[in-house]
Amino acid sequence: MKDLANCTIESARAALAAGETTAANLTAAFLTRIEKLDRKGPALNSVRQTNPEAPAIAAKLDASARKTPRPLEGIPVLLKDNIATGDKQCTTAGSLALEDAEDLEGFDRLA
């Protein structure tokens, strides 16, 4: 996608459907944008962590494209870090005290 700053879910879905981009390309572009604006440049420090599995998840979605994709399939999303995602993304609730915390044992039984 050319205009990430104004990208909407609708425009990203249209680009994916038209074959103009892939989930992997979208994910890479947004990770690059986060790096450019959040870590370097103005150093906004608004994104605590990106999912280390995001590129692999996107590539897997590209490889298993459905005829009728789910509404957010292939669309990168940025979640507040108090939402558990079921992968290697840490859930810190914004607290430095929980930065290296592992998921609670047995958490899946609570859900």
Side-chain angles (χ1 to χ4, degrees):
M1 297 215 50
K2 296 176 184 176
D3 187 14
L4 290 180
N6 295 308
C7 180
T8 64
I9 292 172
E10 231 174 48
S11 65
R13 285 186 68 194
L16 286 167
E20 296 170 7
T21 192
T22 63
N25 287 342
L26 272 177
T27 300
F30 277 108
L31 288 172
T32 298
R33 183 173 167 77
I34 290 169
E35 183 68 26
K36 179 181 174 186
L37 297 175
D38 203 66
R39 311 283 195 266
K40 299 176 181 170
L44 301 173
N45 198 29
S46 61
V47 178
R48 188 117 186 84
Q49 176 191 37
T50 57
N51 187 338
E53 293 182 281
I57 292 168
K60 185 177 176 181
L61 287 171
D62 287 336
S64 66
R66 305 168 195 258
K67 286 184 180 179
T68 308
R70 295 172 288 192
L72 291 177
E73 188 168 323
I75 309 294
V77 295
L78 191 61
L79 299 174
K80 188 167 175 62
D81 67 352
N82 62 350
I83 298 174
T85 60
D87 50 32
K88 292 185 180 180
Q89 179 80 32
C90 292
T91 303
T92 66
S95 171
L96 289 175
L98 297 173
E99 189 169 31
D100 295 321
E102 297 292 323
D103 287 335
L104 296 174
E105 185 176 324
F107 178 76
D108 58 336
R109 288 178 278 168
L110 299 174

